[in-house]
Amino acid sequence: LELAGFGLAVAMVVCNWRVNPLAWPLAMASSAVYGVLFLQAQLYATAALQLVFIAVAAWGWWQWLRGRGD
């Protein structure tokens, strides 16, 4: 599970370098995987922090899609 989260995070960074909007859903997926991993390890505060990361990524993706012109 940790390797899956890491792989998604690396893919997200590559997409960010290339200014690809796919980075936003990859960030959310990576955080969700890590959230499950942290829940299994009974690290509840860190798992809850992943929810914040997911919310911020969702907001960023929404801002990206909405755009503000040039």
Side-chain angles (χ1 to χ4, degrees), residues 59-70:
W59 177 78
W61 193 18
W62 180 73
Q63 289 290 323
W64 177 284
L65 293 174
R66 202 172 119 209
R68 295 198 177 218
D70 294 337

Side-chain angles (χ1 to χ4, degrees), residues 23-64:
W24 300 110
L26 286 172
M28 290 185 279
S30 175
S31 293
V33 169
Y34 275 115
V36 170
L37 185 69
F38 293 139
L39 277 175
Q40 289 176 349
Q42 297 180 351
L43 298 169
Y44 301 117
T46 308
L49 183 59
Q50 300 309 305
L51 295 174
V52 174
F53 293 155
I54 291 169
V56 169
W59 177 78
W61 193 18
W62 180 73
Q63 289 290 323
W64 177 284

Side-chain angles (χ1 to χ4, degrees), residues 10-38:
V10 168
M12 180 228 11
V13 169
V14 170
C15 285
N16 278 330
W17 281 338
R18 296 180 180 186
V19 192
N20 186 333
L22 185 60
W24 300 110
L26 286 172
M28 290 185 279
S30 175
S31 293
V33 169
Y34 275 115
V36 170
L37 185 69
F38 293 139

